[in-house]
Amino acid sequence: MIAPELADDLLGRALARGGDLAELYVEERTGLALTLDDRRVERPQSGREIGASVRVVVGDSTYFGHVDGLGEEDLRRVADSVSQAVAGERRRPAALKAAEPREAYEIAQRPEDIAAADKAQILHACDEAARAAGSEVAQVSVSYVENRRRVQVFNSDGVAAADDRTRVRLGAQVVARRDGTVETGHETRGGHAGFELVSANPEEVAEKAARKALTMLDAVDAPTGRMTVVVGNGFGGVLLHEAVGHGLEADAIHKRASVYAGKLDELVAPEFLVAYDSGAEAGEWGSDGIDDEGTPTQRTTIIENGRLTSYLYDLLRARKDGVPSTGNGRRESFRHLPIPRMTNTYFANGNATPEDLIEGTEYGLYAVSFGGGQVEPATGDFVFGLSEGYLIENGKVTKPVRGATLIGNGLEALKLIDGVAADLSIATGFCGKGGQRVPAGVGQPHVRIQSLTVGGTAA
Amino acid sequence: MSQPDLEGIARRAVEAAQSAGADDAEAWVEEAVTRQIRVYEAYVESLTDAGSRGFGLRVFLDGRSGYAYGTDLSDEGASALAAQARESAAVADPDEFGGLPDEFGTAEVEGLHASELAGWSTERKIELAVEIERAARAHDGVSQVEDTVYADADGSVALANSRGFCSSYEASSVWAYASVFAGEGADLMTGLGVGLGREPGELDPRAIGDEAAERALALVGARQPESRRCPVVLDAFVAASFIGFIGGMLSADAVQRGRSLFAGREGEEIASAAVRLVDDGVDPEGPDSAPFDGEGSARRRTSLIEDGRLLTFLFDARTARKGERETTASASRGSYRTPPSVGTANLLLEPGDADLEELVRRAGDGLYVTDVAGLHSGVNPVSGTFSVGATGRLIEGGELGSPAREMTIASDLVSMLKAVQAVGSASRWVPFGGSVKAAPLLIGEMAVSGA
């Protein structure tokens, strides 16, 4: 990593021909990935990448360059080259405040201190646990990934910040087969945490994945049409992420590419609904100490008592709106520009129980888990593929269903929420936007939506 | 940095691995200069100018393999990488089918690199992007051009291994897109226009802007249709997404691990006679064409589906050994960060002879789909059943009718392939779902779920 004196010199060079903001971002990323497939640990991968990027913002234009390695000559060259895109008067950056290295969250067991063989042992234990779950389990794959990102951010407003981010993730995929029917089940556990997160009862992850696959062997084709949908806690929150969260990112708002533009302070949901985006939840997957522009992460209330209360900002868009950044300026790596991104996005607890929500449903779908989802922020139209779901008939969960897809519109669906349970949990997701993939936590308690279109495969 | 340097770096990394005790080793080195220009309302929203390089080292030791990657290309960096890769290999289980390929080679591929790219100044590229945006905005009814991006890459790749293979190539690519809105408020609809090539002169900025605008405008006023079973025409974008997904299921790795619905179906009819699908690693126009694959096998052209019959899966050296077959040179590399794995190069869906009008006429009453959403969460990769979100226009009496949204289309991949009644004549490269050249498809029947 680099010294403040060098950072100061580079920021000065970047502003050689003026600019409203110059920024230096430095990153060292290390990681290890192990996969077990077909009973064997294979394709172990480890890596180390170091680099930096420089950006200069002038009005609404951003000029950006990045370089591998931290050679002083290379860094000066990239700062000089970026500055050449600007056509103004030299400006001096503000004096840097002292950077305080910040380990935001306690890492009980540093993953790099654990022998690789112990990590491989977890994969084998998961494989055995999944296979023991039933004779119809046909194939198991398990993956373990750890990574550490050490970042420094310096800018011409005097920001000097650093962060040290460690994430681990254990995932299992199980294939179950009965006669001609084949089903898969997935489960993951991950967080901004150390090895302790995955070494405690790792078998549970594999058992859950196996149970999903085995259950789905009995699935019937999903029904089609509009019906009540009870969405499960944890990864069910991907619905909020897709249908609402993306539309609150300030870049979409500024380009009128969001149905939520101009809706601040309006009632967009029932009055009992509260939702947050928070990058400051200890240990959660989408949490960091600072965002990738040096702004400390925070909890932002996005919906309070049904009213839209905030958009999600990075520095650029915040400056334009005359508000402080909400700490949502994130980037995949030093090779990418920061843009407004969610961190952990979730509905707050209500006061129902999951049982209340299901018992009060005459006919509908219980959507426990999704394979993923997609939204067009400009229209709010969303699509989610179910990976685990059941029919609800006369207030009871009955048969599992396969091939269900939920489609709808975010603004409409929000208004149709009529019940929220008190069992909030946050799951691990990856969010893609503008060609950048970042870890994002998605969460919620059980939530019921009065009416949603289910696209099934049943005639 | 010039190409011989990359080969030298690759060779030194292999030597470092051998010094560290590897039985066999292989190094992949990449270098690229990239530029991305995003314009908005005729000004530069962002300009990225960057160089990047990195390498990955795969080692084999006592039948086990390990992989390490990094960005420090110095001799010390190579030594550190070798130690790391060796350490990784220690936790792997032995693999009787693993190891380097038995044969290596390179194919002649014309035109991978266009020297014209270097002659384009940043200013001209900005002009090109602005022209795309201007073309899109010129259409009545366009309410916003959200995003217009031009990007190019000028890169080199070198591969060396401990069996004496050492080669490199240069490739250039450019692409551009515009994302356009038409209509306002709840009636707002979106459209995308794309273009790609080896140098900016191959891009037609007007065509990209027009395409984005026309795709959005065609959807204004879309409503949720009634549920129905009907013939469906997929446009080339949508067909490419499905073809890309199917290509992934034809990987011998997915097949051998029991994760493909096509397992055990080689030689069988899996599609209608209208379907002919090729994976071509040496097509001069192909974005993913190269002289050699990710482990040094000479790239080639492989027929996958002919007259509806599945001829072969795609193999790398490992899956070929396991399946007692020959490699199809399908070891692909996402980047230097990952070891090679089986993947498609350029998928080509051979065009038929019906134009779009003819396909729509033959559909009679049905649905024309111009966008699908949620393909990767909506398809069960093992059973092939799917239900994905769709947007498009109704087909009424053999003509395009009112626009439709908020619906799903459902089937399973084999039923869909068998129900292909015709492949359109207008095929084009589409950069989604990998590198695919696709044409519109007329499908006999699918389930459409709406209101």
Side-chain angles (χ1 to χ4, degrees):
Chain A
M1 309 305 274
I2 75 166
E5 296 72 33
L6 177 58
D8 190 54
D9 173 48
L10 294 169
L11 292 174
R13 284 168 179 269
L15 291 177
R17 300 176 64 177
D20 302 326
L21 178 77
E23 177 195 68
L24 171 69
Y25 178 84
V26 181
E27 182 177 9
E28 174 175 359
R29 340 166 31 96
T30 53
L32 171 73
L34 296 180
T35 309
L36 177 145
D37 204 346
D38 220 359
R39 297 180 191 266
R40 294 185 316 102
V41 173
E42 52 184 27
R43 296 163 69 85
Q45 297 166 45
S46 61
R48 181 164 182 262
E49 294 179 282
I50 303 174
S53 54
V54 174
R55 84 172 149 149
V56 175
V57 179
V58 191
D60 287 324
S61 298
T62 296
Y63 302 98
F64 183 66
H66 56 80
V67 64
D68 291 299
L70 299 179
E72 290 193 19
E73 282 310 301
D74 290 336
L75 291 172
R76 290 199 177 97
R77 197 177 314 121
V78 71
D80 290 344
S81 142
V82 170
S83 76
Q84 290 309 303
V86 187
E89 293 291 309
R90 173 182 294 277
R91 198 166 79 75
R92 278 297 310 160
L96 292 172
K97 300 173 191 85
E100 288 180 29
R102 173 169 175 175
E103 175 120 6
Y105 305 109
E106 195 192 339
I107 304 298
Q109 282 183 292
R110 292 233 57 89
E112 54 269 45
D113 294 342
I114 308 293
D118 293 349
K119 295 162 187 168
Q121 184 47 44
I122 282 186
L123 301 187
H124 283 293
C126 284
D127 184 47
E128 279 163 34
R131 291 181 190 276
S135 58
E136 289 156 326
V137 168
Q139 188 61 277
V140 179
S141 77
V142 193
S143 65
Y144 165 82
V145 180
E146 67 184 42
N147 62 65
R148 183 173 187 179
R149 291 175 66 190
R150 272 170 282 199
V151 307
Q152 286 178 308
V153 188
F154 304 93
N155 77 27
S156 57
D157 289 341
V159 167
D163 201 6
D164 186 348
R165 307 162 177 171
T166 296
R167 284 185 170 81
V168 297
R169 187 166 186 264
L170 179 66
Q173 188 209 47
V174 174
V175 177
R177 190 182 294 268
R178 180 193 299 153
D179 304 324
T181 306
V182 182
E183 293 291 346
T184 55
H186 297 263
E187 183 66 29
T188 62
R189 184 200 292 172
H192 186 132
F195 191 67
E196 68 280 1
L197 182 71
V198 295
S199 57
N201 191 15
E203 294 88 351
E204 180 196 54
V205 175
E207 284 158 4
K208 282 187 177 172
R211 185 186 54 76
K212 285 185 194 179
L214 292 168
T215 303
M216 293 304 287
L217 285 177
D218 295 315
V220 296
D221 284 348
T224 285
R226 282 191 86 93
M227 64 192 74
T228 300
V229 178
V230 175
V231 184
N233 65 348
F235 200 70
V238 71
L239 200 114
L240 172 68
H241 173 103
E242 295 290 346
V244 183
H246 277 298
L248 301 183
E249 292 165 343
D251 50 340
I253 297 290
H254 285 176
K255 286 186 167 182
R256 291 175 284 129
S258 165
V259 282
Y260 297 94
K263 289 210 161 48
L264 222 48
D265 297 327
E266 278 186 28
L267 206 57
V268 295
E271 291 191 12
F272 56 82
L273 211 66
V274 176
Y276 301 106
D277 178 86
S278 173
E281 303 296 309
E284 295 296 349
W285 181 244
S287 296
D288 287 316
I290 53 171
D291 73 358
D292 294 313
E293 300 179 306
T295 309
T297 54
Q298 64 177 48
R299 188 175 83 170
T300 306
T301 308
I302 51 179
I303 297 174
E304 189 164 27
N305 302 330
R307 277 178 207 284
L308 192 63
T309 47
S310 180
Y311 298 133
L312 300 175
Y313 285 102
D314 64 351
L315 286 177
L316 244 65
R317 280 80 185 182
R319 183 202 293 264
K320 203 164 177 177
D321 281 7
V323 297
S325 166
T326 52
N328 289 91
R330 304 185 70 197
R331 53 179 127 204
E332 183 181 309
S333 79
F334 64 90
R335 299 193 181 96
H336 300 87
L337 272 169
I339 47 175
R341 304 292 296 259
M342 286 172 268
T343 56
N344 302 292
T345 316
Y346 55 93
F347 283 122
N349 275 328
N351 44 31
T353 66
E355 294 74 26
D356 294 340
L357 300 179
I358 288 163
E359 278 165 19
T361 305
E362 197 175 317
Y363 180 79
L365 185 71
Y366 179 28
V368 177
S369 192
F370 297 97
Q374 199 176 322
V375 69
E376 174 50 67
T379 61
D381 286 353
F382 63 75
V383 183
F384 298 95
L386 250 68
S387 59
E388 185 186 3
Y390 303 84
L391 284 179
I392 302 173
E393 294 169 299
N394 300 317
K396 290 199 171 57
V397 174
T398 59
K399 302 178 222 38
V401 296
R402 70 167 60 92
T405 298
L406 298 184
I407 51 170
N409 184 274
L411 271 176
E412 281 173 33
L414 260 186
K415 294 199 169 109
L416 291 172
I417 291 178
D418 67 355
V420 181
D423 56 347
L424 169 69
S425 78
I426 297 176
T428 61
F430 283 99
C431 172
K433 172 179 168 184
Q436 299 191 43
R437 189 167 176 267
V438 298
V442 295
Q444 65 170 37
H446 274 76
V447 165
R448 188 170 68 182
I449 304 170
Q450 246 169 47
S451 168
L452 213 54
T453 300
V454 178
T457 43
Chain B
M1 195 180 286
S2 60
Q3 277 196 73
D5 284 325
L6 288 195
E7 290 188 19
I9 290 164
R11 263 198 299 262
R12 281 195 293 281
V14 168
E15 284 160 16
Q18 288 175 303
S19 304
D23 297 332
D24 263 317
E26 165 194 86
W28 175 271
V29 190
E30 274 173 32
E31 184 202 26
V33 175
T34 55
R35 180 170 282 114
Q36 189 181 79
I37 298 161
R38 179 170 251 119
V39 300
Y40 181 66
E41 292 179 345
Y43 71 80
V44 174
E45 185 184 351
S46 67
L47 169 68
T48 299
D49 203 342
S52 61
R53 51 184 197 234
F55 62 164
L57 183 62
R58 184 162 67 140
V59 303
F60 297 93
L61 184 63
D62 300 331
R64 304 162 200 267
S65 86
Y67 193 80
Y69 63 90
T71 48
D72 178 2
L73 305 190
S74 68
D75 287 354
E76 297 75 46
S79 299
L81 210 61
Q84 232 182 320
R86 202 200 139 128
E87 207 176 300
S88 291
V91 297
D93 290 309
D95 178 1
E96 59 178 309
F97 305 109
L100 295 173
D102 302 315
E103 284 177 38
F104 307 98
T106 58
E108 286 284 325
V109 192
E110 292 293 312
L112 284 181
H113 186 267
S115 54
E116 291 88 338
L117 175 58
W120 278 67
S121 66
T122 301
E123 287 68 29
R124 275 180 78 202
K125 293 173 185 174
I126 293 171
E127 271 171 39
L128 189 150
V130 169
E131 202 181 332
I132 294 173
E133 192 192 25
R134 195 184 304 128
R137 283 197 197 275
H139 290 255
D140 279 342
V142 164
S143 50
Q144 174 70 303
V145 182
E146 180 208 9
D147 212 12
T148 309
V149 173
Y150 163 89
D152 62 47
D154 197 339
S156 304
V157 162
L159 179 72
N161 67 32
S162 53
R163 306 283 178 90
F165 179 85
C166 184
S167 188
S168 61
Y169 62 89
E170 291 181 279
S172 63
S173 64
V174 301
W175 51 267
Y177 74 82
S179 163
V180 163
F181 302 159
E184 298 280 353
D187 282 331
L188 187 146
M189 297 303 290
T190 65
L192 190 68
V194 299
L196 60 164
R198 302 266 183 225
E199 54 102 0
E202 292 173 30
L203 299 179
D204 180 345
R206 282 197 75 100
I208 296 168
D210 287 347
E211 175 172 52
E214 283 158 11
R215 290 178 73 89
L217 287 165
L219 297 173
V220 172
R223 293 287 171 264
Q224 189 174 37
E226 301 274 314
S227 297
R228 68 191 73 190
R229 283 189 166 274
C230 62
V232 170
V233 177
L234 307 178
D235 81 355
F237 279 22
V238 175
S241 296
F242 276 103
I243 293 296
F245 194 89
I246 289 165
M249 308 298 322
L250 295 176
S251 139
D253 196 56
V255 169
Q256 291 173 355
R257 294 177 194 275
R259 293 212 178 85
S260 167
L261 66 145
F262 298 112
R265 305 189 69 162
E266 256 179 321
E268 287 182 20
E269 258 179 49
I270 58 156
S272 87
V275 178
R276 284 170 297 151
L277 184 66
V278 172
D279 187 49
D280 192 340
V282 293
D283 186 310
E285 285 184 0
D288 285 351
S289 290
F292 50 87
D293 74 352
E295 55 185 7
S297 298
R299 282 278 202 195
R300 63 204 70 173
R301 183 182 155 95
T302 305
S303 278
L304 298 171
I305 302 174
E306 208 165 277
D307 300 328
R309 230 157 45 84
L310 176 60
L311 299 185
T312 183
F313 298 120
L314 293 168
F315 295 89
D316 64 356
R318 180 186 178 280
T319 52
R321 260 180 223 123
K322 186 169 181 178
E324 299 182 347
R325 299 285 294 272
E326 302 239 317
T327 179
T328 55
S330 300
S332 75
R333 298 255 186 178
S335 80
Y336 62 84
R337 291 179 203 89
T338 52
S341 62
V342 183
T344 57
N346 304 293
L347 283 171
L348 314 179
L349 177 68
E350 300 284 346
D353 46 26
D355 62 14
L356 184 62
E357 233 170 53
E358 168 71 10
L359 294 180
V360 167
R361 196 188 57 72
R362 284 177 59 183
D365 290 301
L367 181 70
Y368 176 53
V369 179
T370 58
D371 194 18
V372 287
L375 191 65
H376 288 269
S377 59
V379 186
N380 179 322
V382 184
S383 65
T385 55
F386 68 84
S387 165
V388 297
T391 311
R393 295 174 71 176
L394 299 179
I395 299 173
E396 293 158 338
E399 288 182 18
L400 288 181
S402 51
R405 72 195 276 193
E406 247 190 277
M407 56 187 166
T408 61
I409 52 173
S411 181
D412 69 86
L413 292 175
V414 171
S415 299
M416 183 180 91
L417 284 172
K418 286 193 167 170
V420 172
Q421 294 183 341
V423 181
S425 53
S427 74
R428 61 174 291 178
W429 289 100
V430 182
F432 330 129
S435 160
V436 184
K437 191 177 189 182
L441 289 173
L442 168 60
I443 316 285
E445 188 183 84
M446 283 172 113
V448 177
S449 304

